[in-house]
Amino acid sequence: EDYLGAARRGLFGGGNKKTNESVSSDRVAIESLLSGKVAKAAHKRARKNGEETGSFVVWGAKAGSSEATSIMKRLKLVPTSSKGGKRPILGVVYPANVNSKEILSSRNIVPKLLAQHHCNPPPDAESMASWMNTLRKRHAKQYKIMQDAAKEIQMYKERIEGYKESVKSDTERKEKEAKEKAELKAKAEAEAKRKEEIEARRQELKE
């Protein structure tokens, strides 16, 4: 998609009312998100000794869409305006565990707002990358919590899959054994019947 064209349609904006100033603000925000500097900041490892994965994922929605309205309400994002125009809404969200005792349940993972940029003015590529790097350093403990939780969830899934595979294997083995036992029984019965028929024939010939 042409994101600069999308800016004119309200992508990343705070509402449907788009003035020339707000369209320009959208363009600045989108260009920043698509820049190499922001990509480098997003792909940077969250912790020196952590997982070799990026630390941010960029997501956007068209202003006024049901998707944008829903996420704004859920995260309690506050739209800001200037001179009647809507500024872009730029926030950082993280998956929070609402019940540490049941961390393995996906029902306990909810999105929460970590920080929201004032976007007055919207940050250029360098400023946005700097903001992201500051947040990464400031919330290093939160990254560790998320990465530890991800590892635990992965291990749990592997255990579940291993258990399912073990049950499946055991069921298949029992079915195979039962089938082989039935086949042996059928062969034994057929052989016994054959011998009875041979013996009966012999008796007939003697008579």
Side-chain angles (χ1 to χ4, degrees):
E1 182 179 359
D2 179 0
Y3 284 95
L4 295 183
R8 299 185 182 91
R9 297 194 298 276
L11 184 67
F12 293 108
N16 289 322
K17 185 178 180 182
K18 307 304 293 180
T19 64
N20 290 335
E21 183 181 350
S22 60
V23 168
S24 177
S25 295
D26 283 358
R27 186 180 293 111
V28 171
I30 293 170
E31 287 178 340
S32 297
L33 289 170
L34 297 176
S35 69
K37 290 182 179 179
V38 169
K40 183 178 179 181
H43 292 156
K44 191 173 182 179
R45 187 185 297 190
R47 297 187 304 124
K48 290 183 179 180
N49 299 323
E51 298 293 321
E52 294 183 6
T53 56
S55 47
F56 293 91
V57 175
V58 177
W59 177 87
K62 182 179 179 180
S65 66
S66 59
E67 191 176 26
T69 302
S70 174
I71 199 67
M72 285 180 66
K73 184 181 294 185
R74 186 170 187 181
L75 295 174
K76 298 180 180 179
L77 286 164
V78 181
T80 56
S81 61
S82 176
K83 297 179 182 179
K86 297 292 185 179
R87 297 176 193 158
I89 294 176
L90 178 63
V92 176
V93 181
Y94 72 102
N97 177 40
V98 296
N99 188 342
S100 59
K101 294 181 180 179
E102 298 181 14
I103 195 170
L104 299 179
S105 174
S106 60
R107 292 174 299 179
N108 296 316
I109 303 298
V110 297
K112 283 196 173 184
L113 182 65
L114 182 70
Q116 181 177 349
H117 198 284
H118 55 75
C119 283
N120 185 27
D124 57 19
E126 187 172 350
S127 297
M128 188 177 292
S130 177
W131 184 57
M132 292 163 68
N133 288 330
T134 298
L135 288 174
R136 184 192 305 103
K137 293 175 182 177
R138 183 181 300 164
H139 299 283
K141 290 183 179 180
Q142 183 60 46
Y143 275 112
K144 184 178 186 306
I145 291 172
M146 291 189 295
Q147 290 180 347
D148 289 347
K151 283 182 181 179
E152 191 172 346
I153 290 172
Q154 183 59 35
M155 290 173 63
Y156 175 74
K157 287 181 178 179
E158 289 174 357
R159 286 197 299 270
I160 292 297
E161 288 301 318
Y163 174 74
K164 288 180 179 178
E165 190 62 32
S166 176
V167 170
K168 181 182 177 182
S169 228
D170 192 48
T171 300
E172 290 175 348
R173 178 182 59 78
K174 289 180 179 179
E175 289 176 351
K176 183 180 179 181
E177 290 177 352
K179 183 179 179 181
E180 290 175 348
K181 186 176 180 180
E183 289 175 350
L184 288 174
K185 183 180 179 181
K187 286 181 180 180
E189 290 176 349
E191 180 64 17
K193 185 177 180 181
R194 186 183 70 82
K195 289 181 178 180
E196 288 177 0
E197 290 174 349
I198 292 174
E199 184 61 28
R201 182 62 178 165
R202 285 178 181 172
Q203 294 298 328
E204 289 177 0
L205 292 175
K206 287 182 180 180
E207 296 174 357

